[in-house]
Amino acid sequence: MEERGSPDGDPARNLEQGPEGPETPIQVVLRVRPMSAAELRRGEQSVLHCSGTRTLQVSPPGGGPDVAFRFGAVLDGARTQEDVFRACGVRRLGDLALRGFSCTVFTFGQTGSGKTYTLTGPPPQGEGVPVPPSLAGIMQRTFAWLFDRVQHLGAPVTLHASYLEIYNEQVRDLLSLGAPRPLPVRWNKTRGFYVEQLRVVEFGSLGALMELLQMGLSRRRSSAHTMNQASSRSHALLTLYISHQTMPPVDPREPPAGGKLCFVDLAGSEKVTATGSRGELMLEANSINRSLLALGHCISLLLDPQRKQSHIPFRDSKLTKLLADSLGGRGVTLMVACVSPSAQCLPETLSTLRYASRAQRITTRPQAPKSPVAKPPQHLETELLQLQEENHRLRSQLGQMDPKASGLIGARVAWAQRNLYGMLQEFMLENERLRKEKRQLQSSRDLAQDEQRILAQQVHELERRLLSACYLHQPGPGPAPPCPCVMVPPPPCHALPPLCPCPCCHLCPLCRAPLAHWACPRRELHLPQVFGSKAPADMPLPARPPPWVPPCSPGSAKCSRERSHSDWIQTQVLAEMLTKEEVVPSAPPLPMGPLNTSPVLRGGAAVPNLARRLEALRDQIGSSLRRGRSQPHPSEGT
Ligand code: ADP
Ligand code: MG
């Protein structure tokens, strides 16, 4: 019984029509590995028989009906690696990749069925020991063929390679310079799914490529279990990028545009009970099985006749993402299904055969990327030269422009870019400095105003006391009543005694002289009685009133007459009389502070005048007191 027929489709032949070729089925080749030594020792018989070159007969043990499967090619255990390479038609795929198509070869099947052997030969026998040429797999043979082909092409071809594995659903770079680390899988419109930051290595010789392969194989995860002593625990993808462009890609991290040839060595599905996997091995097995299940699911949906409308869940696993283009996209795909002839593996073998049969009914629509690959290389070279010439010409034209003008504009733009931010910063600093200065000035002004107020009060009080004393000691018709305000003890600080209501405190509002004295029309007559010609001869006679005298209002009628010098002498002499009465100045002490914070320096407008007046008053009183001690009291003489 033949379960499924296979379409006779040769992808290379079909694609001769052009890049926008017809729908092309996935090519499937079946490889049956020979019985292993252990299986032979157990006396097992093969349940698989080849019938011709394309049909496989399955004879279930126990006498059930045979089942036949038809593939593009069926290769039994007697076939060599070279036979497999030739039968698979990999060289045609290589040709398509050289023409710019994206081609994939992947092996599929149960663990221990010979997938890795088919692609890369037997596991390495030691570190750095190469695979014997006769046992080299499809990959090494394709590499050798490709280099031979490129040499005979006569056109420049650039070759790059990347090698990654999907281990426990993590993509790891097998060619990374450091230890492999997980890389993200991304998607964009032009590239489809791709691995970000994957190292793509350019190589120029077969030896270099073989070294890259060896490096990846040695770093790939593999473990031993009961069914395979060197079981791959990850899916491995080696990709060759074939480009006819001589110019490097715009983004150096991207592989150059051109054809691709990708080799995928899938990890095998396994029954954990059969392999005896435990711990980490079991986790790996679960991860492998899950991704293979996702792959099988995608293959099933791709076979759906309504699949154009249906959604294919390629995003379900990293593996299906990276195989999306090969399975349902624009690539050309070859699947090598590997099976074991052992009766013990029959359920898995039948499953693989069913999947492989279905896979070969999947069609893709191969399409070469729109790159200059299709153009003849000579044309590219000419175009490149033309562009270089144009670039050179434009540069020289730019250089011939007025260098002064262009230099000035450039300098201005640079200055603006450089200085706008700097200017802003400077303005902010300046602003802050000015604010600080303003705050300092305001506090100085407040302080000066306080001092001015205190000094004015002191001056006023001293004047008042001095003039009151003068008035009290003036000889009159009756004894002068003592003024209580002069007897008030000094206040503690900044508090002045209230003015007494006596007439002596009633000062002229214009010149602030006591009204009782200065307003007296006969005051001129009184003065000689007080001083007469007995004024001391050594007393200085200033031409102007002393500075402590409050200024007169210029428009004042009362002060239109300048006070005579004798008026000030009288005040001085009367002040001396205070010494006997032990009058204590009631003015508060001057505000203490550093020299540079004196009112004069701090800049109140009226403060210097007041300070001078206060100082003059003090001098006046002091000198009067001194003289009073050395001379007889004037009242004694009268
Ligand atoms: P898989 O990759 O499918 O798990 P392997 O390729 O590792 O299986 O093969 C398992 C074992 O079988 C290896 O020891 C390998 O050498 C051996 N083997 C597989 N295929 C063949 C073959 N065609 N001829 C000789 N030995 C083979
Ligand atoms: Mg393997």
Side-chain angles (χ1 to χ4, degrees), residues 103-389:
C103 306
T104 306
V105 179
F106 71 97
T107 51
F108 177 78
Q110 184 192 8
T111 183
S113 59
K115 299 180 293 295
T116 306
Y117 184 94
T118 302
L119 274 182
T120 55
Q125 304 301 310
E127 189 71 28
V129 179
V131 176
S134 62
L135 298 180
I138 289 175
M139 283 167 72
Q140 291 96 328
R141 289 168 196 274
T142 310
F143 296 165
W145 171 86
L146 185 67
F147 267 94
D148 188 54
R149 187 78 171 159
V150 165
Q151 277 174 4
H152 286 94
L153 266 181
V157 174
T158 314
L159 294 167
H160 291 78
S162 69
Y163 203 178
L164 64 88
E165 69 173 350
I166 304 169
Y167 174 72
N168 281 347
E169 269 308 280
Q170 284 187 343
V171 175
R172 290 148 46 98
D173 191 348
L174 293 172
L175 302 182
S176 66
L177 295 171
R181 58 191 172 87
L183 300 178
V185 178
R186 307 243 185 258
W187 183 90
N188 71 27
K189 210 172 176 182
T190 49
R191 294 178 68 184
F193 288 104
Y194 66 98
V195 178
E196 200 175 60
Q197 297 171 5
L198 183 67
R199 186 166 174 238
V200 181
V201 185
E202 185 174 356
F203 59 91
S205 68
L206 181 60
L209 181 55
M210 290 296 187
E211 276 179 22
L212 292 176
L213 173 67
Q214 232 22 68
M215 179 182 173
L217 284 175
S218 63
R219 294 172 90 175
R220 190 182 171 191
R221 296 286 187 118
S222 67
S223 298
H225 56 69
T226 51
M227 292 183 72
N228 189 352
Q229 287 307 300
S231 173
S232 320
R233 311 310 291 168
S234 65
H235 310 298
L237 285 81
L238 184 145
T239 309
L240 300 180
Y241 305 90
I242 303 162
S243 170
H244 292 273
Q245 294 180 47
T246 49
M247 285 170 70
V250 179
D251 186 348
R253 289 168 302 179
E254 276 190 24
K260 275 196 308 185
L261 188 53
C262 181
F263 299 91
V264 184
D265 183 12
L266 294 179
S269 59
E270 64 182 67
K271 278 184 177 163
V272 177
T273 46
T275 56
S277 299
R278 296 278 179 280
E280 195 182 10
L281 276 181
M282 196 165 77
L283 284 176
E284 291 168 355
N286 287 339
S287 175
I288 292 165
N289 287 343
R290 235 190 345 265
S291 57
L292 289 175
L293 203 68
L295 178 63
H297 188 47
C298 287
I299 289 174
S300 299
L301 289 171
L302 284 166
L303 285 170
D304 184 353
Q306 302 296 318
R307 76 174 163 108
K308 293 244 158 44
Q309 285 80 37
S310 66
H311 164 71
I312 311 295
F314 288 118
R315 289 178 182 270
D316 278 4
S317 73
K318 301 265 168 65
L319 177 67
T320 43
K321 281 180 185 175
L322 297 180
L323 290 181
D325 206 37
S326 310
L327 292 172
R330 299 173 299 181
V332 184
T333 303
L334 167 71
M335 176 194 277
V336 183
C338 298
V339 288
S340 161
S342 165
Q344 286 187 348
C345 300
L346 189 58
E348 289 289 318
T349 301
L350 283 172
S351 171
T352 303
L353 290 172
R354 287 196 188 101
Y355 265 115
S357 295
R358 297 175 80 176
Q360 65 188 342
R361 289 198 284 130
I362 296 172
T363 54
T364 59
R365 192 179 283 274
Q367 188 181 358
K370 289 183 173 46
S371 69
V373 171
K375 295 182 186 174
Q378 287 84 359
H379 177 73
L380 268 181
E381 292 292 329
T382 319
E383 199 172 305
L384 180 68
L385 281 174
Q386 281 174 352
L387 284 171
Q388 279 175 343
E389 268 177 31

